[in-house]
Amino acid sequence: MAHDTPPPHAERDAIIAALTPLVDGIAATFGPVCEVVLHDYRDPEKSVVAVAGVLTGRSVGGAMSEIGLRMLARGDEAADELNYVTRTRGGQQLKSSTMVLRDSSGAVFGALCVNVDVTAVQQAQALLAGIGGGGAAKASTTTTFGNDIDSVVEAIVDDHQLRRGRTWVQLDRAQRLLLFRSLDEHGVFAVRRAIEQVAVRLGISRASAYSYLSQARAATAPSSDPEPESDPDPDSTGGDA
């Protein structure tokens, strides 16, 4: 007699339940320099279902980080990211691994993340490199962690603007489309109300934000959408009525 296949949500709940005890065990093994976070991507705004350690200050019911949003944007194409180095906004250097969770169909629905504070190790390496005449340490990327998904989305938007060295008003149409495409690729718009948050952060109307997102998704490459002599968008001057 053939066995009935459990519904996807039941299988995923079972995987989460099985992994939850491991969170405390892994963190206890490495001690206070370690944090372990178990995410359920079915609720991005409250994806943290288990956490041990205090490196990023998150708690159960907290939101996913921008790393998680990037995983979410990749969907079932997401892959494990192992031994990467990032930096919290508080200046801690973290060595991290994000391992995606899949159900029996191969669908990605969560992740197990391990963060280890290597700040002291990095400082020691920099000191030894300076004494020994070695090269400068490789810079790490600042990552926003938080229990509030709004702050994570806002930080991603701000970071994208800072890296371009221009505010929304200073961007031409092609650059604005590139900004929305980049935000989309980072999973920002997978979060509920994200389009409204982005619009407020950029100082444009929600309608304009939807329009730019639609155009960015339709364009195959930045060069495929030639820049016009003037931007007909009502927010081209940066103002909203």
Side-chain angles (χ1 to χ4, degrees):
M1 179 182 296
H3 294 285
D4 292 333
T5 302
H9 66 85
E11 180 188 13
R12 296 170 183 178
D13 289 343
I15 294 172
I16 291 290
L19 290 175
T20 298
L22 299 181
V23 171
D24 287 322
I26 295 172
T29 300
F30 289 94
V33 298
C34 180
E35 176 189 74
V36 183
V37 185
L38 181 62
H39 289 279
D40 186 340
Y41 289 169
R42 290 174 290 181
D43 190 354
E45 297 182 57
K46 298 180 180 179
S47 71
V48 178
V49 294
V51 60
V54 295
L55 298 185
T56 61
R58 285 176 293 176
S59 57
V60 172
M64 61 173 53
S65 70
E66 53 195 280
I67 298 169
L69 288 175
R70 186 171 67 243
M71 290 285 191
L72 192 63
R74 293 173 180 170
D76 296 341
E77 300 301 316
D80 295 346
E81 294 189 15
L82 307 176
N83 289 330
Y84 58 90
V85 178
T86 187
R87 183 175 67 252
T88 69
R89 294 195 176 270
Q92 291 171 288
Q93 299 280 336
L94 303 181
K95 182 178 181 182
S96 306
S97 289
T98 299
M99 294 151 282
V100 297
L101 306 181
R102 299 179 187 272
D103 60 23
S104 58
S105 71
V108 172
F109 69 94
L112 179 65
C113 304
V114 179
N115 301 312
V116 178
D117 187 349
V118 294
T119 305
V121 175
Q122 296 282 5
Q123 291 172 342
Q125 287 179 336
L127 176 62
L128 292 172
I131 294 174
K138 182 180 179 181
S140 56
T141 303
T142 299
T143 300
T144 299
F145 298 97
N147 286 315
D148 180 6
I149 194 65
D150 294 352
S151 63
V152 174
V153 171
E154 290 174 357
I156 296 173
V157 174
D158 291 347
D159 180 63
H160 277 61
Q161 289 194 99
L162 286 173
R163 281 194 277 119
R164 286 165 174 77
R166 296 183 180 183
T167 63
W168 176 260
V169 178
Q170 296 170 318
L171 298 177
D172 60 34
R173 182 168 178 270
Q175 291 168 329
R176 292 177 178 184
L177 290 175
L178 184 61
L179 172 61
F180 268 82
R181 183 178 299 112
S182 181
L183 292 175
D184 195 25
E185 290 173 349
H186 280 75
V188 169
F189 299 112
V191 178
R192 291 189 296 271
R193 307 188 317 276
I195 195 74
E196 290 86 351
Q197 290 177 256
V198 171
V200 170
R201 204 65 176 174
L202 295 176
I204 62 177
S205 69
R206 184 173 63 176
S208 291
Y210 274 114
S211 176
Y212 276 111
L213 177 58
S214 177
Q215 294 176 64
R217 285 176 171 174
T220 56
S223 59
S224 67
D225 196 352
E227 179 186 346
E229 290 297 321
S230 61
D231 191 340
D233 185 85
D235 293 316
S236 60
T237 59
D240 266 283

